[in-house]
Amino acid sequence: MKKITVLLLILSIPSCLLTSCLGYRDLDHIVFVTSILIDRDDENNIVFYFETLNSIRSSSMEANQEKRIIYKIGTQNPGDALNELESHTSAPVTLAHNKVLLFTERFARGGLDQAFELFERWQDSNARTLLGIFVGDTDFYVKPNHQDETMTGLYLYDMLGDMQSVTSDGVKINIKEFMSQKYIGDRVNSVPIINVSKDDVTQGQYYLDGLGLIKEYKLIGKLNSEETGYYNFLVDKGVSGNINTKNPEDETKTVSLMLQNNTRYKSKLKLENDVLKLFVKIKLNTDISAVQGKLKLTDETIAKMEESMEEKLERNCQKMFREWKDRKIDIFDVQEKFERKYPADRRKNIIENTELEVDFKVNIIGTSAVRDAT
């Protein structure tokens, strides 16, 4: 009996190995969607651009290769898009590995609700898929000019996942976070804008270009890259990169300060005579990274640069806050903070009766790569 048992175990090993090979070959019969761009045409049809990774089979298994293929599907009913896509492919389609979901500006202004209802129905869709608004020509999505990565979905996933680039020029948000935010506070979501370079040398390359602000599934406004930095300061999302201030020895020149990663943020609310006071304190540590003109670093010049930078940040943050307050749109999560601090108070759109007091403290703690840029 022992010999028979051992013999059966030995005979079962090849069958296990064959099962593994069959599973591997099954991957050759699946079309992987890696990114999706959604647009709307002049006839109000929804247009899907599906970027897919397809296995190109040959007579030799060793010669198999993967190829990027874009499928363009136009439909009036978004629920038919996936079925229509599968009618164009030679294998089943999966969204389980989709990295990025993009919307054109035209589609975003018309409303994103149909798109999100669609992805909720597709059971294999990934809630961690990152979101973005694509403001370039759709031709540059079909034929991009990014050399680092063949697949646009993987390229943008790395770009949007890089906290250094995102916190200076955008934000990182996925489908799950977007769906949660639309039930919180004033229900405004911020989504990174992806633009396409038109310069001769870098034409067709992608770059982050600020934020799109979405309320009730519609794009209501945009922030440029500079405004995005001030916005991220006020909502405590952290900011990286460089900020310029005046050269204290020549106000026609600038000094570039590099922000470090140890920003300290504090905020509190206080309701006084039906006016909500929002107090924000932000402490920044910086290095001098570049100097235009000549600058002698002394305690006096360093103090002048710190003061100049503090005034600039406070002025621009106040300006942005007033602009959106006048529009009666809360993009700063004030309503959410108010409801948590005063749960018994049922007032809505408290941003109309909110005053901001923002205090920046800038410390220049060192120098690196200081140079005369004259």
Side-chain angles (χ1 to χ4, degrees):
M1 290 296 297
K2 290 183 179 180
K3 292 181 179 181
I4 294 175
T5 301
V6 172
L7 180 61
L8 290 173
L9 289 172
I10 293 174
L11 292 175
S12 68
I13 292 175
S15 63
C16 293
L17 294 175
L18 287 173
T19 302
S20 176
C21 292
L22 285 171
Y24 173 78
R25 286 201 296 268
D26 285 344
L27 294 178
D28 295 340
H29 298 274
I30 297 176
V31 174
F32 295 93
V33 175
T34 54
S35 68
I36 302 172
L37 173 64
I38 306 180
D39 192 11
R40 193 181 298 274
D41 63 18
D42 296 335
E43 298 178 356
N44 208 34
N45 294 315
I46 298 179
V47 181
F48 289 83
Y49 294 85
F50 291 96
E51 180 192 49
T52 64
L53 181 63
N54 294 255
S55 177
I56 308 302
R57 296 182 294 275
S58 68
S59 58
S60 171
M61 291 296 295
E62 289 74 18
N64 283 8
Q65 295 181 349
E66 289 74 34
K67 185 176 181 181
R68 177 184 187 265
I69 300 178
I70 296 289
Y71 296 93
K72 181 179 179 181
I73 306 294
T75 178
Q76 291 186 341
N77 181 6
D80 296 333
L82 189 59
N83 294 333
E84 183 72 16
L85 174 61
E86 289 189 329
S87 71
H88 288 70
T89 65
S90 60
V93 176
T94 177
L95 297 179
H97 302 281
N98 182 40
K99 298 296 185 182
V100 179
L101 174 59
L102 303 174
F103 311 100
T104 64
E105 184 174 352
R106 173 168 55 180
F107 184 82
R109 291 195 181 279
L112 308 179
D113 48 337
Q114 286 183 302
F116 281 97
E117 290 175 2
L118 173 63
F119 285 96
E120 286 178 347
R121 288 199 298 269
W122 287 348
Q123 295 181 357
D124 66 343
S125 60
N126 191 342
R128 294 187 297 274
T129 297
L130 299 181
L131 302 176
I133 297 175
F134 190 80
V135 296
D137 194 307
T138 55
D139 289 343
F140 287 115
Y141 176 80
V142 176
K143 295 181 180 180
N145 183 27
H146 44 74
Q147 305 296 326
D148 297 337
E149 179 63 60
T150 303
M151 306 301 297
T152 295
L154 300 179
Y155 180 82
L156 289 178
Y157 189 78
D158 289 340
M159 176 188 290
L160 296 174
D162 180 2
M163 296 307 297
Q164 292 295 323
S165 62
V166 170
T167 55
S168 58
D169 295 311
V171 297
K172 179 181 179 181
I173 185 170
N174 60 37
I175 290 178
K176 182 179 179 181
E177 293 165 342
F178 183 97
M179 298 300 291
S180 298
Q181 180 63 30
K182 74 185 188 73
Y183 296 109
I184 299 174
D186 206 40
R187 304 177 181 181
V188 175
N189 267 298
S190 53
V191 177
I193 291 176
I194 299 165
N195 208 336
V196 179
S197 174
K198 297 179 181 179
D199 294 339
D200 292 337
V201 177
T202 60
Q203 186 176 20
Q205 294 182 8
Y206 299 160
Y207 65 94
L208 291 175
D209 193 23
L211 291 178
L213 301 171
I214 296 175
K215 182 175 182 178
E216 296 176 355
Y217 287 113
K218 290 187 177 181
L219 181 66
I220 59 173
K222 296 189 294 183
L223 304 179
N224 60 35
S225 294
E226 182 178 4
E227 292 171 329
T228 297
Y230 304 133
Y231 167 82
N232 282 337
F233 276 131
L234 291 177
V235 297
D236 192 25
K237 290 191 175 179
V239 180
S240 63
N242 292 277
I243 300 180
N244 292 332
T245 189
K246 294 179 181 178
N247 185 327
E249 294 186 357
D250 183 353
E251 292 194 353
T252 64
K253 307 294 185 180
T254 62
V255 176
S256 182
L257 301 180
M258 179 176 291
L259 299 172
Q260 297 188 349
N261 294 325
N262 55 353
T263 301
R264 297 180 182 178
Y265 174 95
K266 292 183 180 180
S267 69
K268 67 177 182 178
L269 297 176
K270 188 176 182 181
L271 194 59
E272 296 180 352
N273 300 323
D274 288 334
V275 175
L276 184 66
K277 299 290 185 69
L278 172 59
F279 302 92
V280 175
K281 290 187 177 183
I282 302 173
K283 182 178 180 180
L284 305 175
N285 290 327
T286 67
D287 287 330
I288 296 177
S289 58
V291 176
Q292 282 187 336
K294 296 181 178 181
L295 174 63
K296 185 177 181 180
L297 291 177
T298 64
D299 291 342
E300 181 181 358
T301 56
I302 290 176
K304 286 183 178 179
M305 286 188 291
E306 292 173 341
E307 182 179 359
S308 175
M309 177 60 72
E310 291 165 356
E311 291 176 353
K312 174 183 177 180
L313 294 173
E314 291 171 9
R315 181 176 63 252
N316 288 323
C317 284
Q318 285 284 7
K319 179 183 177 182
M320 170 181 285
F321 189 87
R322 286 194 301 269
E323 288 176 353
W324 289 94
K325 176 183 174 179
D326 292 343
R327 295 176 63 176
K328 301 180 181 180
I329 299 176
D330 176 15
I331 69 173
F332 305 103
D333 298 330
V334 176
Q335 186 71 36
E336 178 185 352
K337 295 176 181 178
F338 172 71
E339 292 175 356
R340 290 181 178 178
K341 179 71 179 290
Y342 302 101
D345 196 320
R346 300 297 181 181
R347 275 179 288 182
K348 298 297 182 182
N349 212 22
I350 194 65
I351 189 72
E352 298 179 48
N353 298 316
T354 301
E355 294 180 358
L356 171 67
E357 292 188 20
V358 58
D359 179 26
F360 278 89
K361 179 61 178 176
V362 176
N363 292 324
I364 299 177
I365 62 175
T367 60
S368 60
V370 177
R371 58 188 176 84
D372 186 344
T374 56

PDB file of all heavy atoms in Angstrom, residues 342-366:
ATOM      1  N   TYR A 342     -19.594  71.655  15.478  1.00  0.00           N
ATOM      2  CA  TYR A 342     -20.909  72.059  15.987  1.00  0.00           C
ATOM      3  C   TYR A 342     -21.993  71.154  15.375  1.00  0.00           C
ATOM      4  O   TYR A 342     -22.748  71.583  14.495  1.00  0.00           O
ATOM      5  CB  TYR A 342     -21.183  73.521  15.632  1.00  0.00           C
ATOM      6  CG  TYR A 342     -20.161  74.482  16.165  1.00  0.00           C
ATOM      7  CD1 TYR A 342     -19.152  74.996  15.359  1.00  0.00           C
ATOM      8  CD2 TYR A 342     -20.198  74.901  17.496  1.00  0.00           C
ATOM      9  CE1 TYR A 342     -18.206  75.884  15.846  1.00  0.00           C
ATOM     10  CE2 TYR A 342     -19.256  75.797  18.002  1.00  0.00           C
ATOM     11  CZ  TYR A 342     -18.256  76.277  17.170  1.00  0.00           C
ATOM     12  OH  TYR A 342     -17.320  77.156  17.667  1.00  0.00           O
ATOM     13  N   PRO A 343     -22.055  69.895  15.799  1.00  0.00           N
ATOM     14  CA  PRO A 343     -22.995  68.945  15.177  1.00  0.00           C
ATOM     15  C   PRO A 343     -24.460  69.321  15.354  1.00  0.00           C
ATOM     16  O   PRO A 343     -25.304  68.911  14.552  1.00  0.00           O
ATOM     17  CB  PRO A 343     -22.668  67.628  15.883  1.00  0.00           C
ATOM     18  CG  PRO A 343     -22.016  68.023  17.167  1.00  0.00           C
ATOM     19  CD  PRO A 343     -21.263  69.271  16.870  1.00  0.00           C
ATOM     20  N   ALA A 344     -24.788  70.104  16.368  1.00  0.00           N
ATOM     21  CA  ALA A 344     -26.185  70.490  16.597  1.00  0.00           C
ATOM     22  C   ALA A 344     -26.626  71.640  15.700  1.00  0.00           C
ATOM     23  O   ALA A 344     -27.823  71.892  15.549  1.00  0.00           O
ATOM     24  CB  ALA A 344     -26.399  70.863  18.066  1.00  0.00           C
ATOM     25  N   ASP A 345     -25.679  72.349  15.107  1.00  0.00           N
ATOM     26  CA  ASP A 345     -25.995  73.478  14.235  1.00  0.00           C
ATOM     27  C   ASP A 345     -26.223  72.951  12.818  1.00  0.00           C
ATOM     28  O   ASP A 345     -25.314  72.373  12.204  1.00  0.00           O
ATOM     29  CB  ASP A 345     -24.852  74.493  14.256  1.00  0.00           C
ATOM     30  CG  ASP A 345     -25.259  75.847  13.707  1.00  0.00           C
ATOM     31  OD1 ASP A 345     -25.992  75.877  12.709  1.00  0.00           O
ATOM     32  OD2 ASP A 345     -24.848  76.866  14.292  1.00  0.00           O
ATOM     33  N   ARG A 346     -27.417  73.159  12.284  1.00  0.00           N
ATOM     34  CA  ARG A 346     -27.797  72.575  10.999  1.00  0.00           C
ATOM     35  C   ARG A 346     -27.610  73.527   9.821  1.00  0.00           C
ATOM     36  O   ARG A 346     -28.092  73.250   8.727  1.00  0.00           O
ATOM     37  CB  ARG A 346     -29.275  72.130  11.047  1.00  0.00           C
ATOM     38  CG  ARG A 346     -29.566  71.087  12.113  1.00  0.00           C
ATOM     39  CD  ARG A 346     -28.801  69.812  11.840  1.00  0.00           C
ATOM     40  NE  ARG A 346     -29.080  68.778  12.839  1.00  0.00           N
ATOM     41  CZ  ARG A 346     -28.518  67.571  12.842  1.00  0.00           C
ATOM     42  NH1 ARG A 346     -27.642  67.274  11.894  1.00  0.00           N
ATOM     43  NH2 ARG A 346     -28.799  66.693  13.778  1.00  0.00           N
ATOM     44  N   ARG A 347     -26.925  74.623  10.019  1.00  0.00           N
ATOM     45  CA  ARG A 347     -26.759  75.564   8.920  1.00  0.00           C
ATOM     46  C   ARG A 347     -25.930  74.961   7.786  1.00  0.00           C
ATOM     47  O   ARG A 347     -24.974  74.240   8.018  1.00  0.00           O
ATOM     48  CB  ARG A 347     -26.077  76.845   9.419  1.00  0.00           C
ATOM     49  CG  ARG A 347     -27.040  77.850  10.021  1.00  0.00           C
ATOM     50  CD  ARG A 347     -26.308  79.065  10.512  1.00  0.00           C
ATOM     51  NE  ARG A 347     -25.530  78.788  11.720  1.00  0.00           N
ATOM     52  CZ  ARG A 347     -24.832  79.708  12.356  1.00  0.00           C
ATOM     53  NH1 ARG A 347     -24.764  80.945  11.889  1.00  0.00           N
ATOM     54  NH2 ARG A 347     -24.176  79.398  13.467  1.00  0.00           N
ATOM     55  N   LYS A 348     -26.336  75.298   6.582  1.00  0.00           N
ATOM     56  CA  LYS A 348     -25.629  74.844   5.398  1.00  0.00           C
ATOM     57  C   LYS A 348     -24.893  76.014   4.741  1.00  0.00           C
ATOM     58  O   LYS A 348     -25.224  77.181   4.952  1.00  0.00           O
ATOM     59  CB  LYS A 348     -26.601  74.204   4.393  1.00  0.00           C
ATOM     60  CG  LYS A 348     -27.299  72.967   4.937  1.00  0.00           C
ATOM     61  CD  LYS A 348     -26.314  71.849   5.259  1.00  0.00           C
ATOM     62  CE  LYS A 348     -27.007  70.607   5.762  1.00  0.00           C
ATOM     63  NZ  LYS A 348     -26.037  69.532   6.130  1.00  0.00           N
ATOM     64  N   ASN A 349     -23.915  75.661   3.939  1.00  0.00           N
ATOM     65  CA  ASN A 349     -23.103  76.648   3.208  1.00  0.00           C
ATOM     66  C   ASN A 349     -22.559  77.727   4.143  1.00  0.00           C
ATOM     67  O   ASN A 349     -22.649  78.933   3.882  1.00  0.00           O
ATOM     68  CB  ASN A 349     -23.916  77.291   2.079  1.00  0.00           C
ATOM     69  CG  ASN A 349     -23.034  77.668   0.893  1.00  0.00           C
ATOM     70  OD1 ASN A 349     -21.947  77.120   0.724  1.00  0.00           O
ATOM     71  ND2 ASN A 349     -23.497  78.590   0.083  1.00  0.00           N
ATOM     72  N   ILE A 350     -21.959  77.261   5.244  1.00  0.00           N
ATOM     73  CA  ILE A 350     -21.409  78.170   6.254  1.00  0.00           C
ATOM     74  C   ILE A 350     -20.270  79.022   5.702  1.00  0.00           C
ATOM     75  O   ILE A 350     -19.886  80.030   6.308  1.00  0.00           O
ATOM     76  CB  ILE A 350     -20.942  77.358   7.483  1.00  0.00           C
ATOM     77  CG1 ILE A 350     -20.686  78.250   8.698  1.00  0.00           C
ATOM     78  CG2 ILE A 350     -19.697  76.545   7.128  1.00  0.00           C
ATOM     79  CD1 ILE A 350     -21.907  78.928   9.220  1.00  0.00           C
ATOM     80  N   ILE A 351     -19.751  78.658   4.540  1.00  0.00           N
ATOM     81  CA  ILE A 351     -18.653  79.412   3.936  1.00  0.00           C
ATOM     82  C   ILE A 351     -19.039  80.878   3.733  1.00  0.00           C
ATOM     83  O   ILE A 351     -18.197  81.777   3.789  1.00  0.00           O
ATOM     84  CB  ILE A 351     -18.227  78.770   2.586  1.00  0.00           C
ATOM     85  CG1 ILE A 351     -16.942  79.419   2.042  1.00  0.00           C
ATOM     86  CG2 ILE A 351     -19.346  78.866   1.560  1.00  0.00           C
ATOM     87  CD1 ILE A 351     -15.714  79.052   2.786  1.00  0.00           C
ATOM     88  N   GLU A 352     -20.340  81.165   3.524  1.00  0.00           N
ATOM     89  CA  GLU A 352     -20.800  82.536   3.308  1.00  0.00           C
ATOM     90  C   GLU A 352     -20.557  83.408   4.534  1.00  0.00           C
ATOM     91  O   GLU A 352     -20.412  84.631   4.406  1.00  0.00           O
ATOM     92  CB  GLU A 352     -22.292  82.542   2.959  1.00  0.00           C
ATOM     93  CG  GLU A 352     -22.634  81.810   1.675  1.00  0.00           C
ATOM     94  CD  GLU A 352     -24.123  81.837   1.400  1.00  0.00           C
ATOM     95  OE1 GLU A 352     -24.712  82.940   1.490  1.00  0.00           O
ATOM     96  OE2 GLU A 352     -24.701  80.777   1.110  1.00  0.00           O
ATOM     97  N   ASN A 353     -20.541  82.791   5.723  1.00  0.00           N
ATOM     98  CA  ASN A 353     -20.368  83.539   6.972  1.00  0.00           C
ATOM     99  C   ASN A 353     -19.055  83.164   7.664  1.00  0.00           C
ATOM    100  O   ASN A 353     -18.981  83.160   8.888  1.00  0.00           O
ATOM    101  CB  ASN A 353     -21.545  83.273   7.915  1.00  0.00           C
ATOM    102  CG  ASN A 353     -22.868  83.726   7.331  1.00  0.00           C
ATOM    103  OD1 ASN A 353     -22.952  84.808   6.765  1.00  0.00           O
ATOM    104  ND2 ASN A 353     -23.883  82.886   7.448  1.00  0.00           N
ATOM    105  N   THR A 354     -18.055  82.862   6.871  1.00  0.00           N
ATOM    106  CA  THR A 354     -16.762  82.443   7.416  1.00  0.00           C
ATOM    107  C   THR A 354     -15.697  83.488   7.124  1.00  0.00           C
ATOM    108  O   THR A 354     -15.639  84.040   6.016  1.00  0.00           O
ATOM    109  CB  THR A 354     -16.327  81.082   6.823  1.00  0.00           C
ATOM    110  OG1 THR A 354     -17.314  80.098   7.116  1.00  0.00           O
ATOM    111  CG2 THR A 354     -14.992  80.643   7.406  1.00  0.00           C
ATOM    112  N   GLU A 355     -14.879  83.763   8.116  1.00  0.00           N
ATOM    113  CA  GLU A 355     -13.724  84.635   7.948  1.00  0.00           C
ATOM    114  C   GLU A 355     -12.450  83.838   8.203  1.00  0.00           C
ATOM    115  O   GLU A 355     -12.371  83.093   9.177  1.00  0.00           O
ATOM    116  CB  GLU A 355     -13.807  85.827   8.909  1.00  0.00           C
ATOM    117  CG  GLU A 355     -14.964  86.768   8.620  1.00  0.00           C
ATOM    118  CD  GLU A 355     -15.005  87.937   9.593  1.00  0.00           C
ATOM    119  OE1 GLU A 355     -14.147  87.972  10.517  1.00  0.00           O
ATOM    120  OE2 GLU A 355     -15.883  88.811   9.434  1.00  0.00           O
ATOM    121  N   LEU A 356     -11.489  84.014   7.332  1.00  0.00           N
ATOM    122  CA  LEU A 356     -10.225  83.274   7.424  1.00  0.00           C
ATOM    123  C   LEU A 356      -9.152  84.158   8.040  1.00  0.00           C
ATOM    124  O   LEU A 356      -8.972  85.310   7.642  1.00  0.00           O
ATOM    125  CB  LEU A 356      -9.777  82.816   6.039  1.00  0.00           C
ATOM    126  CG  LEU A 356      -8.369  82.205   5.945  1.00  0.00           C
ATOM    127  CD1 LEU A 356      -8.300  80.879   6.697  1.00  0.00           C
ATOM    128  CD2 LEU A 356      -7.957  82.018   4.490  1.00  0.00           C
ATOM    129  N   GLU A 357      -8.447  83.599   8.985  1.00  0.00           N
ATOM    130  CA  GLU A 357      -7.230  84.214   9.511  1.00  0.00           C
ATOM    131  C   GLU A 357      -6.108  83.202   9.334  1.00  0.00           C
ATOM    132  O   GLU A 357      -6.096  82.156   9.996  1.00  0.00           O
ATOM    133  CB  GLU A 357      -7.399  84.596  10.988  1.00  0.00           C
ATOM    134  CG  GLU A 357      -8.396  85.718  11.224  1.00  0.00           C
ATOM    135  CD  GLU A 357      -8.386  86.207  12.659  1.00  0.00           C
ATOM    136  OE1 GLU A 357      -7.378  85.963  13.358  1.00  0.00           O
ATOM    137  OE2 GLU A 357      -9.386  86.820  13.076  1.00  0.00           O
ATOM    138  N   VAL A 358      -5.196  83.483   8.429  1.00  0.00           N
ATOM    139  CA  VAL A 358      -4.117  82.551   8.126  1.00  0.00           C
ATOM    140  C   VAL A 358      -2.788  83.188   8.502  1.00  0.00           C
ATOM    141  O   VAL A 358      -2.534  84.362   8.227  1.00  0.00           O
ATOM    142  CB  VAL A 358      -4.136  82.145   6.629  1.00  0.00           C
ATOM    143  CG1 VAL A 358      -4.019  83.359   5.717  1.00  0.00           C
ATOM    144  CG2 VAL A 358      -3.039  81.127   6.332  1.00  0.00           C
ATOM    145  N   ASP A 359      -1.952  82.409   9.161  1.00  0.00           N
ATOM    146  CA  ASP A 359      -0.672  82.894   9.664  1.00  0.00           C
ATOM    147  C   ASP A 359       0.424  81.932   9.227  1.00  0.00           C
ATOM    148  O   ASP A 359       0.432  80.760   9.631  1.00  0.00           O
ATOM    149  CB  ASP A 359      -0.723  83.004  11.190  1.00  0.00           C
ATOM    150  CG  ASP A 359       0.597  83.490  11.783  1.00  0.00           C
ATOM    151  OD1 ASP A 359       1.341  84.183  11.070  1.00  0.00           O
ATOM    152  OD2 ASP A 359       0.891  83.151  12.950  1.00  0.00           O
ATOM    153  N   PHE A 360       1.327  82.427   8.386  1.00  0.00           N
ATOM    154  CA  PHE A 360       2.466  81.624   7.939  1.00  0.00           C
ATOM    155  C   PHE A 360       3.705  81.999   8.739  1.00  0.00           C
ATOM    156  O   PHE A 360       3.944  83.184   9.029  1.00  0.00           O
ATOM    157  CB  PHE A 360       2.745  81.853   6.451  1.00  0.00           C
ATOM    158  CG  PHE A 360       1.877  81.058   5.530  1.00  0.00           C
ATOM    159  CD1 PHE A 360       0.655  81.571   5.100  1.00  0.00           C
ATOM    160  CD2 PHE A 360       2.269  79.812   5.079  1.00  0.00           C
ATOM    161  CE1 PHE A 360      -0.150  80.857   4.241  1.00  0.00           C
ATOM    162  CE2 PHE A 360       1.466  79.078   4.219  1.00  0.00           C
ATOM    163  CZ  PHE A 360       0.246  79.603   3.801  1.00  0.00           C
ATOM    164  N   LYS A 361       4.487  80.998   9.060  1.00  0.00           N
ATOM    165  CA  LYS A 361       5.794  81.201   9.674  1.00  0.00           C
ATOM    166  C   LYS A 361       6.821  80.479   8.818  1.00  0.00           C
ATOM    167  O   LYS A 361       6.850  79.248   8.750  1.00  0.00           O
ATOM    168  CB  LYS A 361       5.814  80.651  11.103  1.00  0.00           C
ATOM    169  CG  LYS A 361       7.160  80.796  11.797  1.00  0.00           C
ATOM    170  CD  LYS A 361       7.586  82.258  11.935  1.00  0.00           C
ATOM    171  CE  LYS A 361       8.914  82.383  12.685  1.00  0.00           C
ATOM    172  NZ  LYS A 361       9.392  83.781  12.756  1.00  0.00           N
ATOM    173  N   VAL A 362       7.665  81.256   8.139  1.00  0.00           N
ATOM    174  CA  VAL A 362       8.665  80.694   7.230  1.00  0.00           C
ATOM    175  C   VAL A 362      10.037  80.753   7.887  1.00  0.00           C
ATOM    176  O   VAL A 362      10.463  81.815   8.357  1.00  0.00           O
ATOM    177  CB  VAL A 362       8.680  81.462   5.893  1.00  0.00           C
ATOM    178  CG1 VAL A 362       9.806  80.930   4.989  1.00  0.00           C
ATOM    179  CG2 VAL A 362       7.339  81.348   5.196  1.00  0.00           C
ATOM    180  N   ASN A 363      10.702  79.616   7.907  1.00  0.00           N
ATOM    181  CA  ASN A 363      12.067  79.538   8.430  1.00  0.00           C
ATOM    182  C   ASN A 363      13.017  79.132   7.307  1.00  0.00           C
ATOM    183  O   ASN A 363      12.810  78.096   6.669  1.00  0.00           O
ATOM    184  CB  ASN A 363      12.165  78.519   9.572  1.00  0.00           C
ATOM    185  CG  ASN A 363      11.416  78.978  10.804  1.00  0.00           C
ATOM    186  OD1 ASN A 363      11.387  80.156  11.124  1.00  0.00           O
ATOM    187  ND2 ASN A 363      10.791  78.026  11.505  1.00  0.00           N
ATOM    188  N   ILE A 364      14.028  79.939   7.077  1.00  0.00           N
ATOM    189  CA  ILE A 364      15.093  79.570   6.142  1.00  0.00           C
ATOM    190  C   ILE A 364      16.218  78.969   6.992  1.00  0.00           C
ATOM    191  O   ILE A 364      16.897  79.682   7.714  1.00  0.00           O
ATOM    192  CB  ILE A 364      15.583  80.786   5.359  1.00  0.00           C
ATOM    193  CG1 ILE A 364      14.422  81.387   4.537  1.00  0.00           C
ATOM    194  CG2 ILE A 364      16.733  80.403   4.436  1.00  0.00           C
ATOM    195  CD1 ILE A 364      14.799  82.647   3.789  1.00  0.00           C
ATOM    196  N   ILE A 365      16.368  77.660   6.882  1.00  0.00           N
ATOM    197  CA  ILE A 365      17.249  76.967   7.824  1.00  0.00           C
ATOM    198  C   ILE A 365      18.563  76.535   7.207  1.00  0.00           C
ATOM    199  O   ILE A 365      19.416  75.977   7.885  1.00  0.00           O
ATOM    200  CB  ILE A 365      16.543  75.744   8.448  1.00  0.00           C
ATOM    201  CG1 ILE A 365      16.171  74.738   7.373  1.00  0.00           C
ATOM    202  CG2 ILE A 365      15.296  76.204   9.199  1.00  0.00           C
ATOM    203  CD1 ILE A 365      15.573  73.463   7.928  1.00  0.00           C
ATOM    204  N   GLY A 366      18.723  76.720   5.904  1.00  0.00           N
ATOM    205  CA  GLY A 366      19.979  76.276   5.304  1.00  0.00           C
ATOM    206  C   GLY A 366      20.044  76.700   3.860  1.00  0.00           C
ATOM    207  O   GLY A 366      19.126  77.316   3.321  1.00  0.00           O
TER     208      GLY A 366
END
